[in-house]
Amino acid sequence: MLRGKRVLIGIGGGIAAYKVCEVISSLFKAGAQVRVILTESATAFITPLTVSTLSRHPAYRDRDFWQPTHQRPLHIELGEWAEIFLIAPLTANTLGKLACGLADNLLTNTVLASRCPILLAPAMNTEMWEQLAVQRNWQQLRQDPRYHSVGPDAGLLACDRVGTGRMAEPTEIFLALQSLLYTQGKRDLVGKQILISGGGTREFLDPVRFIGNPSTGKMGLALAQAAFYRGASVTLVCAPLEGSVPVQILEIANAAQMREAMLQCLPKADWIVMSAAVADVKPASYTPHKLPKKALPDCLPLEPVPDILAELGTKKHPHQRLIGFAAQTGDIVKPALEKLQRKNLDAIAANPIDRAGAGFASNTNEAVFLDRAGRQQTIPSCTKLELAHQLFDFIQTVK
């Protein structure tokens, strides 16, 4: 998603500037071309040498603005070059300039000379962030379709204040950049209510032993991230997972809890994407204290758990779209087609879990998308975030 992409980064004057170093490094490692603009106040927190070393390209400052070495004005060249523009940390000062359309330095001039999507990552003291003027400027920018945001988060700030104002973490910014590069800033899922399940359920025998599977929830998380950055309202029902996404998250442990949460959220959903790896069976009885090893049964009685996807298929309304996942070995298409028909799905993503770099716990995935009209689309190996975006593209074409 990033190889060869042109990413322009503007760094504002704030202590969070050090976090941007990780973003620059990650972008370069992913194959992106990176250019960096430092405001004069930013150089008090991070040096041009640091960012130029990480980006493998000289950093730009205000003193480079009108140098005769540039055949064309620098802000015009950079604005036309960029495919996406990240401003991080976004300070209250730069926010105010952007809201008013002011251009008194290289960074703000380049904003006005560009047409690409702009991702804003605010960072400031909580009192500053909550000021009426700052919030007015922020809401004004968010109404402009060019501007997208990540954060700010809540937590301990550099001023020892606990509250909202922390810049989003580098991993969150990196994921947001990938989504915006894929969509080119379009918000084609605005107005959609999307319900997603993710992760693997655990069916406990006692407080420490359970029947489960290797699912980590990475695919569900990627689906939630992709839908969010395309403008959807997202609810993620999931087992505990690593990572974060700025959507409503309902944490569950077992299949019964997932069923309850999914059925509760179903009436408001337009699309339901069931990517969770739900257990098929559970221990017939649960012991609330840890069983001693000698008390473990030689033969463990099991009973089936409710088929959540099939139940959703019987309850969905004509305007709703229900999408399943089928983790398979060997031939993945035939079992997925049978599942599609049997459970009244609108589409399904068939995953090979017996191939390297696909399926459970991997950062990449591959799939075959199928719908009830008989269409098939093969998705070669890619990141799970890219696969999520391609699935949403596919769902929009389902009749």
Side-chain angles (χ1 to χ4, degrees):
M1 297 178 74
L2 288 166
R3 186 163 301 280
K5 297 297 185 181
R6 302 185 301 275
V7 183
L8 180 61
I9 299 177
I11 302 179
I15 189 62
Y18 78 92
K19 290 184 177 181
V20 186
C21 294
E22 184 176 338
V23 178
I24 297 171
S25 179
S26 297
L27 287 167
F28 179 82
K29 290 175 182 177
Q33 301 177 56
V34 185
R35 303 289 183 269
V36 181
I37 298 172
L38 286 161
T39 63
E40 288 308 303
S41 57
T43 60
F45 298 93
I46 187 171
T47 68
L49 178 60
T50 299
V51 297
S52 63
T53 301
L54 293 171
S55 65
R56 277 65 162 184
H57 193 277
Y60 296 109
R61 300 170 59 180
D62 283 351
R63 67 185 187 186
D64 302 313
F65 203 163
W66 296 109
Q67 290 299 317
T69 53
H70 299 290
Q71 295 182 351
R72 303 174 67 216
L74 180 57
H75 64 299
I76 303 297
E77 286 190 354
L78 290 173
E80 293 177 352
W81 176 86
E83 292 182 78
I84 193 165
F85 197 163
L86 167 67
I87 302 178
L90 173 70
T91 62
N93 185 47
T94 299
L95 170 60
K97 292 177 183 179
L98 296 180
C100 295
L102 301 180
D104 66 347
N105 59 13
L106 177 57
L107 174 58
T108 51
N109 271 273
T110 305
V111 168
L112 296 186
S114 64
R115 293 186 179 275
C116 63
I118 299 176
L119 179 64
L120 305 172
M124 63 192 76
N125 166 268
T126 302
E127 276 71 25
M128 296 174 68
W129 174 250
E130 293 177 349
Q131 287 294 323
L132 180 61
V134 171
Q135 286 302 305
R136 181 182 63 239
N137 291 338
W138 180 242
Q139 295 305 323
Q140 181 176 325
L141 274 191
R142 293 191 66 185
Q143 293 174 13
D144 187 327
R146 274 197 75 194
Y147 291 101
H148 306 262
S149 62
V150 56
D153 297 334
L156 178 64
L157 309 182
C159 59
D160 292 331
R161 174 75 150 85
V162 176
T164 301
R166 284 176 58 91
M167 192 175 84
E169 293 303 313
T171 51
E172 189 178 352
I173 295 172
F174 185 72
L175 289 168
L177 286 171
Q178 291 182 77
S179 285
L180 292 177
L181 279 165
Y182 182 91
T183 64
Q184 284 300 293
K186 67 182 178 183
R187 293 188 176 101
D188 55 348
L189 298 184
V190 168
K192 292 289 186 188
Q193 298 278 344
I194 300 183
L195 174 60
I196 299 168
S197 72
T201 61
R202 298 177 175 184
E203 307 302 327
F204 283 85
L205 171 65
D206 64 17
V208 298
R209 301 180 180 94
F210 62 85
I211 296 174
N213 56 68
S215 176
T216 59
K218 289 182 178 180
M219 192 67 239
L221 194 64
L223 287 162
Q225 290 162 342
F228 173 79
Y229 284 110
R230 293 171 78 148
S233 296
V234 183
T235 299
L236 175 61
V237 178
C238 62
L241 48 77
E242 294 184 6
S244 63
V245 62
V247 304
Q248 181 184 14
I249 297 178
L250 303 179
E251 280 200 3
I252 56 86
N254 56 41
Q257 293 171 354
M258 177 167 283
R259 174 183 177 272
E260 181 181 357
M262 295 296 290
L263 291 176
Q264 180 181 353
C265 297
L266 177 64
K268 295 182 179 179
D270 297 300
W271 295 354
I272 306 95
V273 185
M274 193 77 181
S275 71
V278 183
D280 296 305
V281 294
K282 66 177 182 178
S285 61
Y286 173 76
T287 304
H289 57 271
K290 181 183 175 182
L291 291 168
K293 190 173 182 178
K294 62 182 180 181
L296 293 174
D298 294 328
C299 181
L300 181 64
L302 300 174
E303 63 183 37
V305 301
D307 189 329
I308 302 172
L309 186 58
E311 187 172 1
L312 294 172
T314 65
K315 296 181 181 297
K316 73 182 181 75
H317 297 289
H319 75 278
Q320 294 178 311
R321 294 289 177 267
L322 177 60
I323 297 88
F325 272 69
Q328 298 290 154
T329 59
D331 177 11
I332 65 173
V333 173
K334 184 179 179 180
L337 281 172
E338 293 173 352
K339 185 175 182 178
L340 174 76
Q341 298 298 329
R342 187 173 70 255
K343 301 193 178 185
N344 192 30
L345 309 182
D346 296 284
I348 195 166
N351 288 127
I353 58 172
D354 53 354
R355 300 179 194 171
F360 298 132
S362 67
N363 293 319
T364 56
N365 210 347
E366 56 185 278
V368 178
F369 299 156
L370 309 107
D371 70 7
R372 60 185 177 188
R375 293 185 309 140
Q376 293 188 21
Q377 181 179 342
T378 300
I379 308 298
S381 182
C382 59
T383 66
K384 288 187 172 178
L385 181 62
E386 186 171 2
L387 189 138
H389 277 294
Q390 294 193 65
L391 180 59
F392 288 130
D393 289 343
F394 185 79
I395 296 171
Q396 290 188 82
T397 65
V398 172
K399 301 298 185 180

